[in-house]
Amino acid sequence: MPTPWRNRLAQAALIRLLVVPVAVAGSPSIAGAQPGYAIAPLRPASPFDYAVPNAINAHGDITGYAVIDSNSEFHAFLVRAGAFQDLGLLGYGGTTGIAVNGTDQVALDGETPGVAALLLSGGQTTTIGNVDGGSSWVTSVNDSGDVVGGARNGDNQNVGFSWIGGVFTDLSTVGMYKTAAINDARQIVGTIGYYWTYGGYIHSAAHGCLYSGGVVTDVGSIIGDPRTDTEALALDASGDVVGYSTAADGSHHAFLYRSGTIQDLGTLPGDYASAIAINDGGLILGTLSNPYNVPLGSFLYSGGTMYDFGSLVTSGGTGWTQLIATGLNNAGVVVGYGTFNDTTQGFVALPAQLAGLGPAPAPMLSALREARPNPFRAATEIDYTLSAPAADGPVRLDVFDAAGRRLATLARGAHTAGPQVARWDGLADDGSPVPGGVYFVRLTTRDGSATRRLVVLH
């Protein structure tokens, strides 16, 4: 259903949030050890009384919705470098920020009349489209501004859609009636239906899927029974997929689908587990619920172990219970909402090694940002940032073709820490111009690696 704002509005009736700068970026560093977290509340600017975060990008920028109690008006917001920005109503009765990419493009929903999928970029709002004139809503945006979401067709059925390069595609044509996420390689995860006849009736089950290169792949089931439900809810830059799958006892277990194999990540005793996010270091975040889909808490899967997220809060956690996570970035920062001293509040939780003993701004990590312009004809500039440890070590900034062949090296060796700019003129290292097409620039440092998509026009 296209009503995430209504559901969370009801759950977050008393939120009072305090904006905390969380300008962090880069690759994760906690996936191999038991993590610890420092948690802090968030607060929007006046006139809003409370806000709910829905997503966080690589730089620590957060989107969601904020509410004015007196008239129940709700606006999408963006918290950037600790500053709260009201994104406004945009001509609708209410707006909800659903996802934010690395260049602060916000995928959001406009509500009343109907529901409309929107993209806010550089202060300009684009209506993404619909099927048969019905409602549409967003679920994810990648760093190229490609969006996926859902729509309701003329038969009042829900279908998935993609909006890639400004082209709207009804994905029910490939069987997807839900889409959940898209990565920078334009791989999409979502849900297809599985149908069978028994007792003279047609029965159905949900099957998670990965749509890549024009091919839809069913991720399977953790118990191998196609008559059970499995849903894919998120993926990382490499195309690893997470979600939930029905276990033999009927409960939901989190799963990881990698290299054609589905892995049962399990659940915590008495709970149903659904993985909702995976970062590029393999850290997996999910929600815990009861059999009636009532949220109970969250989990973090790290180093082969599933932890109750609340048990990992080592600083600022007094008074917090029932933490419901909604987003995760590559630095391991988590956003969501929970109960604080018997009231509901939104939160941001920093990994302990980033946060120190409190909610101070995290140290800078390396990051690769979107090239500008992109697509380009003559040349493009690529902004990136290096942490002090990364700058001290080996640094590479390389361009690869779609087959993975290195064509050009734009930066190499030790650097100074801080912001950097590299220029690529569309030439290979041997001086020959590359043909028009899709390429990838990759930053590799001690902090890990990050990749951006480039498009050369001729």
Side-chain angles (χ1 to χ4, degrees):
M1 292 293 293
T3 54
W5 55 90
R6 293 196 194 108
N7 292 343
R8 290 178 184 164
L9 198 65
Q11 293 162 343
L14 295 174
I15 292 180
R16 299 293 182 272
L17 306 174
L18 168 66
V19 171
V20 178
V22 289
V24 294
S27 55
S29 56
I30 63 173
Q34 178 168 344
Y37 275 83
I39 192 171
L42 296 170
R43 174 168 299 181
S46 177
F48 298 101
D49 297 292
Y50 62 89
V52 177
N54 281 336
I56 182 169
N57 71 7
H59 314 308
D61 304 329
I62 300 168
T63 194
Y65 66 89
V67 179
I68 302 171
D69 270 334
S70 60
N71 59 10
S72 298
E73 189 171 290
F74 56 99
H75 294 200
F77 70 83
L78 178 66
V79 173
R80 184 176 185 181
F84 180 90
Q85 301 175 32
D86 173 14
L87 300 183
L89 291 174
L90 306 175
Y92 293 87
T95 55
T96 302
I98 302 297
V100 56
N101 68 10
T103 58
D104 288 330
Q105 293 175 304
V106 179
L108 64 160
D109 292 328
E111 183 187 9
T112 306
V115 184
L118 309 171
L119 180 68
L120 183 63
S121 178
Q124 300 296 313
T125 304
T126 300
T127 302
I128 290 172
N130 56 64
V131 177
D132 300 334
S135 291
S136 61
W137 53 95
V138 295
T139 55
S140 176
V141 59
N142 69 12
D143 282 346
S144 296
D146 302 320
V147 176
V148 294
R152 189 165 292 121
N153 65 19
D155 295 325
N156 206 34
Q157 300 297 311
N158 289 347
V159 301
F161 76 79
S162 65
W163 190 73
I164 295 177
V167 178
F168 185 95
T169 302
D170 178 353
L171 293 180
S172 66
T173 58
V174 295
M176 296 179 69
Y177 67 88
K178 284 185 182 179
T179 57
I182 183 171
N183 65 12
D184 289 345
R186 292 178 166 170
Q187 296 173 298
I188 299 170
V189 292
T191 308
I192 56 177
Y194 175 80
Y195 304 92
W196 70 98
T197 301
Y198 178 76
Y201 295 95
I202 297 176
H203 303 264
S204 65
H207 279 204
C209 67
L210 172 66
Y211 183 44
S212 179
V215 177
V216 176
T217 301
D218 190 325
V219 303
S221 161
I222 59 173
I223 60 173
D225 185 349
R227 297 167 298 178
T228 57
D229 289 330
T230 296
E231 292 200 62
L233 301 177
L235 80 169
D236 65 9
S238 301
D240 294 337
V241 180
V242 296
Y244 77 84
S245 186
T246 306
D249 64 359
S251 66
H252 291 172
H253 287 197
F255 76 80
L256 170 65
Y257 177 82
R258 172 181 290 163
S259 302
T261 301
I262 189 169
Q263 176 188 351
D264 184 356
L265 303 183
T267 188
L268 296 178
D271 294 333
Y272 283 26
S274 296
I276 63 166
I278 176 172
N279 71 12
D280 292 344
L283 194 67
I284 298 172
L285 179 73
T287 56
L288 300 168
S289 65
N290 67 14
Y292 305 101
N293 204 33
V294 175
L296 300 176
S298 301
F299 71 84
L300 199 69
Y301 189 89
S302 173
T305 301
M306 182 178 288
Y307 301 94
D308 184 315
F309 183 71
S311 72
L312 302 178
V313 175
T314 57
S315 177
T318 302
W320 285 96
T321 59
Q322 210 165 7
L323 302 176
I324 310 300
T326 57
L328 169 74
N329 73 2
N330 274 351
V333 182
V334 176
V335 295
Y337 61 93
T339 300
F340 181 68
N341 293 336
D342 297 323
T343 66
T344 303
Q345 294 229 18
F347 68 81
V348 57
L350 301 179
Q353 74 274 30
L354 295 183
L357 298 177
M364 177 184 65
L365 297 180
S366 299
L368 177 63
R369 294 178 172 84
E370 182 71 17
R372 297 178 185 276
N374 188 25
F376 70 96
R377 294 185 186 276
T380 188
E381 291 189 342
I382 301 157
D383 294 329
Y384 60 104
T385 302
L386 298 175
S387 69
D392 237 7
V395 175
R396 291 190 67 104
L397 187 69
D398 299 299
V399 177
F400 296 84
D401 64 14
R405 295 183 291 261
R406 182 184 287 112
L407 300 180
T409 297
L410 308 182
R412 191 173 185 175
H415 286 56
T416 57
Q420 319 282 332
V421 179
R423 177 184 171 89
W424 187 42
D425 53 10
L427 301 180
D429 280 341
D430 62 7
S432 61
V434 303
V438 177
Y439 297 86
F440 297 91
V441 59
R442 179 182 300 162
L443 174 67
T444 305
T445 72
R446 283 178 174 173
D447 288 337
S449 65
T451 303
R452 297 287 186 186
R453 184 174 178 272
L454 302 174
V455 177
V456 178
L457 302 174
H458 284 316

